[in-house]
Amino acid sequence: AQKVTQAQTEISVVEKEDVTLDCVYETRDTTYYLFWYKQPPSGELVFLIRRNSFDEQNEISGRYSWNFQKSTSSFNFTITASQVVDSAVYFCALRSLVYGGGSNYKLTFGKGTLLTVNP
Amino acid sequence: DVKVTQSSRYLVKRTGEKVFLECVQDMDHENMFWYRQDPGLGLRLIYFSYDVKMKEKGDIPEGYSVSREKKERFSLILESASTNQTSMYLCASSSYKGRGDYGYTFGSGTRLTVV
Protein backbone atom coordinates (compact mmCIF):
# COMPACT_ATOMS: atom_id res chain seq x y z
CA ALA A 1 0.00 0.00 0.00
CA GLN A 2 1.10 3.53 -0.69
CA LYS A 3 1.13 6.29 1.86
CA VAL A 4 2.07 9.97 1.91
CA THR A 5 2.66 11.74 5.20
CA GLN A 6 2.72 15.48 5.65
CA ALA A 7 3.44 15.81 9.33
CA GLN A 8 2.95 19.58 9.44
CA THR A 9 -0.74 20.32 9.64
CA GLU A 10 -0.35 24.09 9.77
CA ILE A 11 2.56 26.48 9.41
CA SER A 12 2.46 30.21 9.98
CA VAL A 13 5.29 32.52 8.89
CA VAL A 14 5.89 36.20 8.38
CA GLU A 15 6.38 37.49 4.87
CA LYS A 16 9.93 37.12 3.49
CA GLU A 17 10.71 34.17 5.73
CA ASP A 18 11.80 30.90 4.12
CA VAL A 19 9.58 27.91 4.82
CA THR A 20 9.96 24.19 4.15
CA LEU A 21 7.03 21.82 3.80
CA ASP A 22 7.86 18.21 4.56
CA CYS A 23 6.64 15.16 2.67
CA VAL A 24 7.52 11.55 3.44
CA TYR A 25 6.17 8.70 1.35
CA GLU A 26 5.94 4.93 1.45
CA THR A 27 5.73 2.65 -1.55
CA ARG A 28 6.93 -0.80 -2.53
CA ASP A 29 7.19 0.20 -6.16
CA THR A 30 10.56 0.98 -7.66
CA THR A 31 9.24 3.52 -10.14
CA TYR A 32 6.81 6.25 -9.26
CA TYR A 33 5.99 9.91 -9.60
CA LEU A 34 5.83 12.45 -6.81
CA PHE A 35 3.84 15.65 -7.07
CA TRP A 36 3.17 18.87 -5.22
CA TYR A 37 -0.11 20.72 -5.59
CA LYS A 38 -1.23 24.08 -4.26
CA GLN A 39 -4.82 24.75 -3.21
CA PRO A 40 -5.46 28.48 -2.74
CA PRO A 41 -8.62 29.70 -0.96
CA SER A 42 -10.48 29.58 -4.29
CA GLY A 43 -10.41 25.78 -3.99
CA GLU A 44 -8.92 24.54 -7.25
CA LEU A 45 -5.78 22.42 -6.90
CA VAL A 46 -2.93 23.73 -9.01
CA PHE A 47 -0.08 21.53 -10.19
CA LEU A 48 3.37 22.70 -9.06
CA ILE A 49 5.85 19.96 -9.88
CA ARG A 50 6.26 16.32 -10.86
CA ARG A 51 9.37 14.33 -10.02
CA ASN A 52 10.02 10.76 -11.15
CA SER A 53 11.73 8.27 -8.89
CA PHE A 54 14.83 7.80 -11.03
CA ASP A 55 15.70 11.47 -11.16
CA GLU A 56 17.02 12.71 -7.84
CA GLN A 57 18.18 16.06 -9.10
CA ASN A 58 16.83 18.90 -7.04
CA GLU A 59 14.80 21.49 -8.83
CA ILE A 60 14.43 25.23 -8.46
CA SER A 61 11.73 27.36 -10.01
CA GLY A 62 11.89 30.97 -8.96
CA ARG A 63 11.26 31.11 -5.22
CA TYR A 64 10.28 27.42 -5.12
CA SER A 65 12.69 24.54 -4.72
CA TRP A 66 12.25 20.83 -4.15
CA ASN A 67 14.57 18.40 -2.45
CA PHE A 68 14.03 14.74 -3.38
CA GLN A 69 15.92 12.17 -1.32
CA LYS A 70 15.12 8.60 -2.21
CA SER A 71 17.23 7.26 0.65
CA THR A 72 14.91 8.86 3.19
CA SER A 73 11.74 8.68 1.03
CA SER A 74 11.27 12.40 1.29
CA PHE A 75 10.26 15.09 -1.17
CA ASN A 76 10.39 18.42 0.63
CA PHE A 77 9.27 21.75 -0.74
CA THR A 78 10.89 25.07 0.17
CA ILE A 79 9.52 28.52 -0.50
CA THR A 80 12.16 31.23 -0.28
CA ALA A 81 11.19 34.77 0.73
CA SER A 82 7.55 33.81 1.23
CA GLN A 83 4.76 36.14 0.16
CA VAL A 84 1.16 36.54 1.26
CA VAL A 85 0.02 35.03 -2.05
CA ASP A 86 1.75 31.79 -1.06
CA SER A 87 -0.91 31.25 1.60
CA ALA A 88 -2.66 28.03 0.65
CA VAL A 89 -2.96 24.35 1.44
CA TYR A 90 -0.14 22.36 -0.13
CA PHE A 91 -0.50 18.68 -0.98
CA CYS A 92 2.16 16.14 -1.71
CA ALA A 93 1.07 13.12 -3.79
CA LEU A 94 2.42 9.82 -5.11
CA ARG A 95 1.55 7.75 -8.17
CA SER A 96 2.91 4.35 -9.05
CA LEU A 97 4.43 3.75 -12.47
CA VAL A 98 4.39 -0.01 -12.09
CA TYR A 99 1.81 -1.46 -14.45
CA GLY A 100 -1.35 -2.36 -12.63
CA GLY A 101 -4.15 -1.59 -15.01
CA GLY A 102 -6.45 1.31 -14.36
CA SER A 103 -5.51 1.62 -10.75
CA ASN A 104 -2.09 2.91 -11.82
CA TYR A 105 -3.57 6.27 -12.39
CA LYS A 106 -4.64 6.90 -8.84
CA LEU A 107 -2.83 9.57 -6.92
CA THR A 108 -2.33 9.01 -3.22
CA PHE A 109 -2.40 12.34 -1.40
CA GLY A 110 -1.04 13.47 1.91
CA LYS A 111 -3.42 15.30 4.23
CA GLY A 112 -2.01 18.66 3.28
CA THR A 113 -0.21 21.49 5.04
CA LEU A 114 -1.96 24.81 5.54
CA LEU A 115 0.57 27.59 5.04
CA THR A 116 -0.32 31.06 6.25
CA VAL A 117 1.98 33.90 5.33
CA ASN A 118 1.32 36.99 7.38
CA PRO A 119 2.25 40.48 6.16
CA ASP B 1 -7.49 26.80 -21.82
CA VAL B 2 -8.07 23.19 -20.87
CA LYS B 3 -10.59 22.62 -18.16
CA VAL B 4 -12.40 20.39 -15.77
CA THR B 5 -15.77 21.93 -15.04
CA GLN B 6 -17.98 21.03 -12.10
CA SER B 7 -21.57 22.04 -12.58
CA SER B 8 -22.15 23.66 -9.18
CA ARG B 9 -19.88 25.57 -6.85
CA TYR B 10 -22.23 25.39 -3.89
CA LEU B 11 -25.12 23.01 -3.30
CA VAL B 12 -27.54 22.58 -0.41
CA LYS B 13 -29.65 19.42 -0.30
CA ARG B 14 -31.96 17.77 2.19
CA THR B 15 -31.32 14.46 3.91
CA GLY B 16 -32.63 11.60 1.82
CA GLU B 17 -32.51 13.44 -1.50
CA LYS B 18 -30.82 11.91 -4.52
CA VAL B 19 -27.96 14.19 -5.51
CA PHE B 20 -26.10 14.38 -8.80
CA LEU B 21 -22.71 16.07 -9.06
CA GLU B 22 -21.59 16.57 -12.63
CA CYS B 23 -18.08 16.90 -14.00
CA VAL B 24 -17.06 17.59 -17.60
CA GLN B 25 -13.54 17.73 -19.05
CA ASP B 26 -12.51 18.98 -22.48
CA MET B 27 -9.05 17.40 -22.67
CA ASP B 28 -10.04 14.01 -24.08
CA HIS B 29 -8.63 12.41 -20.94
CA GLU B 30 -9.21 8.71 -20.36
CA ASN B 31 -9.25 8.83 -16.57
CA MET B 32 -11.61 10.69 -14.31
CA PHE B 33 -11.82 10.76 -10.53
CA TRP B 34 -14.03 11.92 -7.70
CA TYR B 35 -12.51 12.90 -4.38
CA ARG B 36 -13.95 14.36 -1.26
CA GLN B 37 -11.96 16.74 0.87
CA ASP B 38 -12.54 17.15 4.59
CA PRO B 39 -10.51 19.12 7.17
CA GLY B 40 -7.80 16.98 8.70
CA LEU B 41 -8.48 14.08 6.33
CA GLY B 42 -7.07 15.45 3.10
CA LEU B 43 -8.35 14.13 -0.22
CA ARG B 44 -9.98 10.72 -0.24
CA LEU B 45 -10.80 8.88 -3.44
CA ILE B 46 -14.44 7.89 -3.85
CA TYR B 47 -14.55 6.39 -7.35
CA PHE B 48 -12.60 6.59 -10.54
CA SER B 49 -13.05 5.62 -14.15
CA TYR B 50 -10.38 4.80 -16.72
CA ASP B 51 -12.69 4.34 -19.67
CA VAL B 52 -16.25 4.95 -20.75
CA LYS B 53 -18.66 2.77 -18.77
CA MET B 54 -15.77 1.52 -16.61
CA LYS B 55 -15.60 2.36 -12.93
CA GLU B 56 -13.61 1.30 -9.93
CA LYS B 57 -14.16 1.87 -6.25
CA GLY B 58 -11.77 4.11 -4.44
CA ASP B 59 -11.13 4.22 -0.73
CA ILE B 60 -14.55 5.44 0.45
CA PRO B 61 -17.24 4.36 -2.07
CA GLU B 62 -20.01 3.63 0.46
CA GLY B 63 -23.09 5.76 -0.12
CA TYR B 64 -21.98 6.81 -3.60
CA SER B 65 -22.28 5.59 -7.15
CA VAL B 66 -20.95 6.95 -10.45
CA SER B 67 -21.85 7.05 -14.10
CA ARG B 68 -19.66 7.52 -17.14
CA GLU B 69 -21.67 7.22 -20.33
CA LYS B 70 -19.47 9.58 -22.34
CA LYS B 71 -15.74 10.10 -22.19
CA GLU B 72 -15.97 13.73 -21.19
CA ARG B 73 -18.53 13.39 -18.40
CA PHE B 74 -18.28 11.71 -15.02
CA SER B 75 -21.18 11.94 -12.60
CA LEU B 76 -21.15 11.28 -8.87
CA ILE B 77 -24.47 10.17 -7.39
CA LEU B 78 -25.48 10.26 -3.76
CA GLU B 79 -28.39 7.83 -3.71
CA SER B 80 -29.81 9.12 -0.41
CA ALA B 81 -27.89 12.09 0.91
CA SER B 82 -26.91 12.10 4.56
CA THR B 83 -25.42 14.82 6.74
CA ASN B 84 -22.09 12.99 6.91
CA GLN B 85 -21.75 13.53 3.18
CA THR B 86 -21.45 17.26 3.70
CA SER B 87 -18.08 17.97 2.16
CA MET B 88 -16.09 19.52 -0.65
CA TYR B 89 -16.18 17.28 -3.73
CA LEU B 90 -13.37 17.53 -6.26
CA CYS B 91 -13.39 16.07 -9.74
CA ALA B 92 -10.18 15.47 -11.67
CA SER B 93 -9.04 13.97 -14.94
CA SER B 94 -5.79 12.59 -16.29
CA SER B 95 -4.37 10.90 -19.33
CA TYR B 96 -2.18 7.81 -19.38
CA LYS B 97 -0.59 8.74 -22.68
CA GLY B 98 2.39 10.00 -20.72
CA ARG B 99 3.26 13.22 -22.45
CA GLY B 100 2.79 16.26 -20.30
CA ASP B 101 1.75 14.13 -17.40
CA TYR B 102 0.92 16.54 -14.64
CA GLY B 103 -0.91 14.01 -12.55
CA TYR B 104 -4.38 15.39 -12.50
CA THR B 105 -6.23 18.46 -13.69
CA PHE B 106 -8.76 19.46 -11.08
CA GLY B 107 -12.08 21.19 -11.15
CA SER B 108 -12.88 24.03 -8.77
CA GLY B 109 -14.88 21.80 -6.46
CA THR B 110 -18.49 21.57 -5.31
CA ARG B 111 -19.18 22.39 -1.68
CA LEU B 112 -22.16 20.23 -0.76
CA THR B 113 -24.13 20.81 2.42
CA VAL B 114 -26.73 18.23 3.43
CA VAL B 115 -29.26 19.53 5.95
Side-chain angles (χ1 to χ4, degrees), chain B residues 18-21 63-67 75-79 85:
Chain B
K18 190 169 185 175
V19 181
F20 293 84
L21 302 184
Y64 303 94
S65 62
V66 289
S67 171
S75 303
L76 180 69
I77 304 156
L78 286 66
E79 297 289 345
Q85 292 178 308

Side-chain angles (χ1 to χ4, degrees), chain B residues 11-73:
Chain B
L11 213 51
V12 180
K13 295 291 182 181
R14 295 196 179 278
T15 302
E17 275 192 73
K18 190 169 185 175
V19 181
F20 293 84
L21 302 184
E22 305 288 347
C23 176
V24 176
Q25 51 98 0
D26 63 2
M27 296 166 283
D28 199 35
H29 281 174
E30 298 82 11
N31 311 313
M32 295 188 75
F33 307 82
W34 276 106
Y35 281 84
R36 65 177 280 176
Q37 183 179 8
D38 301 287
L41 298 177
L43 277 74
R44 294 180 292 166
L45 182 63
I46 304 171
Y47 267 97
F48 67 102
S49 167
Y50 53 91
D51 202 351
V52 176
K53 296 191 187 293
M54 304 297 288
K55 60 185 179 185
E56 282 200 26
K57 293 180 181 179
D59 301 317
I60 51 164
E62 297 78 19
Y64 303 94
S65 62
V66 289
S67 171
R68 192 164 180 206
E69 296 295 319
K70 293 185 177 181
K71 191 175 185 180
E72 67 270 18
R73 186 180 295 270

Side-chain angles (χ1 to χ4, degrees), chain A residues 33 35 37 39 41-45 47 50 89 91 95 102-103 105-112, chain B residues 9 31 33 35 37 40-43 45 48 50 56 90 94 96 98 101-104 106-108:
Chain A
Y33 282 146
F35 299 84
Y37 284 86
Q39 185 181 39
S42 61
E44 185 171 332
L45 272 81
F47 166 84
R50 181 196 78 185
V89 180
F91 291 96
R95 192 193 111 186
S103 60
Y105 312 111
K106 294 194 301 182
L107 278 179
T108 299
F109 285 88
K111 292 184 178 180
Chain B
R9 189 77 174 98
N31 311 313
F33 307 82
Y35 281 84
Q37 183 179 8
L41 298 177
L43 277 74
L45 182 63
F48 67 102
Y50 53 91
E56 282 200 26
L90 291 165
S94 75
Y96 55 71
D101 181 358
Y102 301 116
Y104 294 177
F106 282 89
S108 298

